[in-house]
Amino acid sequence: MKNIIIKVLKNSIAEELELEPGDELISVNNCSINDYIDYKYQISDDFVLFEVKKQNGEIWELEIEKEYDEDIGIVFENPLMDNIKVCSNKCIFCFIDQMPKGMRKTLYLKDDDTRLSFLYGNFITLTNLTEDEIDRIVKYRISPVKVSVHTTDSELRKYMMGNDKDIDILECLKRLIDAGITVDCQIVLVRDVNDGEQLSKTINDLSSLHPGLRSVAVVPVGLTKFRERLIELKPFDKESSAEVVRHVTEIQKELLKKLGTRFIFIADEFYIQSRNDFPSYESYEDFDQLENGIGMCRLFRQQIEDLIDEYKGSKPVAEEITFVTGVAAYELLTEISEKIMKSIPVKINVVKIKNNFFGERITVSGLTTGKDIIEQLKDNNYKNIIIPKNMINDNNVMLDDLTIEDLERELNAEVAVCEVDGASLLDLITK
C-alpha cells in the first residue's frame, strides 16, 4: 500500500522541508515502511533519512536532524499504513453482531490488531497473534498493550469468545510483561456468565501479574435490540449492577492493602445504573482506564469544580445553550449545568436522547445516532446546541452517517462539538 501524505502539520519539520499533501513516503533510513509501527520505530532517532516521491514524480532524499523522538509532522491517508488484522473470534457479546444495516461501513469491521491497541487504545484478545507478531511487539516496545481477558478460566473463555484455540491467557500476558511491556486489561462482564465467583477468580489471577499488568477495567456487556439468532444474554439491572459495585469494591479494598493499588476499576455505567455515587477522584488513581470510559464522569465533574470560579461573571456566547447527551450522563450534566449557571449568566437546557436506534438498554452518549437527535429535538426551538465529541468520528460523522451539517440543517440550529473535558466546555460556553 502506498504511504500517501494527506496533511502536513503547521510549524513542523515536514512543513519546513516543504512536504505537501499528495506526496508519497518511499522509505525511512533506506528501509521500506510496512505500517505505522515501522514508521515510528525508524523516526525515533536524532538523524533520519527520508525518501519521498513528489506529486510531479521527483524523488527527494532528505536528511533530517531533530530531537530524539521528535515527530516529523505528517499525517498519512491510511493511519495504519497497512491492512487491519481482522478478528476471528465469535464472541457471545460482540457488539458488531448486534448492529443493523445502514451504518458507517467502518463500524462493521471486527479488528483484533495490536497496532490499533497501541495507537488508539483498542482492546485485543491475543487469540489471533502469531509468534512473529509477539516478537514484533517486544522488538518495537509496543506499550502499553490493551487486552480483553473476560475470564482466566480457559474453557469459559473459549465459550465466551467462540474460539476453540487452547490459549493460556495468563501465560500470554506474562510473556509480554516479562519482556517489559505494560499491559492494561478489561473484563466485559456478562450477567450469570463470568460474574460472581468467576469474576473473583479472574481478578485474583490477573492481580498476580501486577505491576506489569497495570490495571483492569470491568465493563458491562452492551446489548442492543438487534440480537435475533444470537445467544440470549441477561442485561444488568439496578440490583445486579449494585451487586457488581459491592463485589468489586470489596476486592479493591483488599488489593489496596496488598498491592498498594485498587488495580480493578468499575465502569461508570455500573454506578449510574445501580444509583451509587461515583467514588472519589483519588479512587481512580492515575485514570489508566480513562480511554475505556472508566472515571470519565468523576473527572469531568472535578474539572468543572476546579475551574468554575475562574469563569465567574464571564459573558456567554449565547443567552441560551442546549447540552445533548445520552441517558446515562443526563443527571451528571444536569448537576454540572446548575453549577455553571450559578457562575455564568446563561440558561442551559440538558436534553437526554433516548436510544431508539439501538434500543433503550444502550444509554451511553457515544452510541447516540444523528437520527435519534433529530427526531427528539425537531419540535423544539433550540438554537445553540453542544454535543460531546464521542458522538462523532474525526470527520464529524455520526454512527448512522449523518454529519454535523445534517443536524444543523434539520434542526435549524448551530451545533458545536465539545471534548468531554471541563475546560473545553467552559471555553466553548464563554469564548
Side-chain angles (χ1 to χ4, degrees):
M1 300 180 70
K2 293 183 177 180
N3 299 322
I4 305 298
I5 298 170
I6 60 168
K7 185 177 182 181
V8 175
L9 303 183
K10 290 185 178 180
N11 303 317
S12 66
I13 294 173
E15 184 180 60
E16 185 179 340
L17 294 172
E18 299 182 2
L19 296 180
E20 301 170 304
D23 293 346
E24 178 188 350
L25 177 65
I26 303 298
S27 67
V28 180
N29 300 330
N30 295 317
C31 296
S32 60
I33 301 300
N34 296 316
D35 61 24
Y36 191 72
I37 302 301
D38 272 346
Y39 172 73
K40 291 295 286 184
Y41 181 77
Q42 291 294 339
I43 69 169
S44 61
D45 209 341
D46 50 13
F47 180 83
V48 179
L49 179 64
F50 255 46
E51 185 180 12
V52 176
K53 183 178 181 180
K54 299 292 289 182
Q55 294 179 72
N56 62 7
E58 291 183 3
I59 302 296
W60 286 11
E61 291 188 357
L62 305 169
E63 296 181 351
I64 302 171
E65 292 187 15
K66 64 182 187 64
E67 296 295 326
Y68 181 80
D69 277 349
E70 182 182 2
D71 192 40
I72 304 297
I74 52 182
V75 178
F76 294 97
E77 183 176 37
N78 175 7
L80 196 57
M81 304 169 78
D82 190 15
N83 292 318
I84 291 176
K85 187 176 181 66
V86 178
C87 180
S88 63
N89 300 318
K90 300 184 185 302
C91 296
I92 62 173
F93 51 81
C94 180
F95 198 84
I96 295 174
D97 290 341
Q98 304 176 68
M99 294 200 304
K101 296 179 180 180
M103 302 180 69
R104 203 166 62 229
K105 289 182 179 179
T106 54
L107 296 173
Y108 298 99
L109 178 62
K110 296 183 182 182
D111 75 83
D112 198 15
D113 201 308
T114 311
R115 298 164 300 182
L116 293 177
S117 177
F118 174 68
L119 295 173
Y120 303 119
N122 294 18
F123 281 83
I124 60 173
T125 66
L126 299 184
T127 57
N128 297 300
L129 284 185
T130 65
E131 285 296 317
D132 287 344
E133 288 170 324
I134 294 175
D135 290 341
R136 197 163 180 264
I137 292 173
V138 174
K139 175 186 175 182
Y140 287 168
R141 311 294 298 171
I142 300 176
S143 183
V145 170
K146 311 286 187 177
V147 180
S148 287
V149 173
H150 313 314
T151 176
T152 53
D153 182 291
S154 296
E155 292 305 312
L156 180 57
R157 193 167 194 263
K158 288 179 186 178
Y159 165 72
M160 292 187 69
M161 305 188 74
N163 191 321
D164 289 332
K165 287 184 180 179
D166 195 13
I167 294 176
D168 187 334
I169 186 62
L170 289 174
E171 187 58 38
C172 288
L173 293 171
K174 189 175 186 302
R175 182 174 175 184
L176 294 176
I177 291 165
D178 287 346
I181 306 300
T182 298
V183 178
D184 291 310
C185 292
Q186 77 167 359
I187 300 167
V188 174
L189 204 62
V190 182
R191 188 175 172 189
D192 295 341
V193 176
N194 62 333
D195 54 356
E197 292 183 6
Q198 283 289 348
L199 178 59
S200 296
K201 177 186 182 303
T202 299
I203 297 172
N204 183 62
D205 289 343
L206 295 177
S207 67
S208 69
L209 299 178
H210 182 76
L213 203 167
R214 182 171 59 179
S215 69
V216 179
V218 54
V219 302
V221 60
L223 303 176
T224 78
K225 64 183 181 182
F226 302 101
R227 287 195 59 85
E228 297 88 351
R229 298 182 298 278
L230 296 176
I231 293 173
E232 185 175 350
L233 300 177
K234 286 184 180 180
F236 282 98
D237 54 18
K238 181 180 178 181
E239 290 72 25
S240 54
S241 294
E243 175 56 24
V244 171
V245 172
R246 185 205 63 76
H247 182 190
V248 177
T249 301
E250 287 301 312
I251 296 175
Q252 284 181 325
K253 293 175 182 177
E254 295 172 6
L255 291 175
L256 186 59
K257 293 177 182 177
K258 180 180 176 181
L259 303 177
T261 174
R262 291 166 182 81
F263 183 69
I264 177 81
F265 298 93
I266 306 168
D268 292 5
E269 296 100 302
F270 280 122
Y271 293 109
I272 293 169
Q273 190 158 20
S274 65
R275 310 296 294 175
N276 272 285
D277 291 335
F278 295 111
S280 67
Y281 177 86
E282 293 74 20
S283 296
Y284 290 97
E285 299 178 16
D286 294 325
F287 287 84
D288 290 325
Q289 292 276 357
L290 190 62
E291 289 176 331
N292 207 10
I294 308 293
M296 187 174 288
C297 290
R298 169 55 74 186
L299 179 61
F300 190 42
R301 178 194 286 168
Q302 188 70 41
Q303 289 169 338
I304 295 293
E305 291 174 353
D306 290 345
L307 293 170
I308 192 62
D309 286 346
E310 298 178 18
Y311 290 80
K312 194 166 187 176
S314 297
K315 184 179 179 181
V317 294
E319 293 182 356
E320 184 174 343
I321 293 173
T322 300
F323 294 165
V324 170
T325 186
V327 173
Y330 173 73
E331 290 190 12
L332 175 66
L333 262 293
T334 300
E335 175 191 332
I336 285 174
S337 297
E338 291 171 355
K339 292 179 184 293
I340 294 173
M341 287 189 288
K342 288 179 180 178
S343 293
I344 300 172
V346 61
K347 179 183 177 182
I348 299 176
N349 310 300
V350 183
V351 179
K352 59 182 173 185
I353 302 299
K354 185 172 67 174
N355 203 318
N356 294 324
F357 189 89
F358 284 116
E360 294 185 26
R361 291 173 182 169
I362 303 299
T363 61
V364 294
S365 298
L367 293 174
T368 302
T369 61
K371 181 180 178 182
D372 276 342
I373 292 175
I374 291 170
E375 287 182 349
Q376 294 174 48
L377 295 188
K378 64 183 179 182
D379 293 331
N380 296 283
N381 194 32
Y382 300 129
K383 294 301 180 185
N384 299 284
I385 297 170
I386 296 177
I387 68 172
K389 178 70 168 63
N390 59 10
M391 286 187 181
I392 61 170
N393 68 4
D394 291 338
N395 296 318
N396 286 345
V397 178
M398 305 193 75
L399 290 172
D400 52 356
D401 261 346
L402 294 183
T403 65
I404 298 300
E405 290 74 20
D406 292 327
L407 295 184
E408 291 184 323
R409 182 182 64 256
E410 294 296 324
L411 298 174
N412 190 28
E414 290 188 16
V415 178
V417 178
C418 185
E419 296 284 351
V420 184
D421 171 82
S424 299
L425 180 61
L426 292 170
D427 282 346
L428 193 57
I429 292 172
T430 57
K431 298 179 182 179

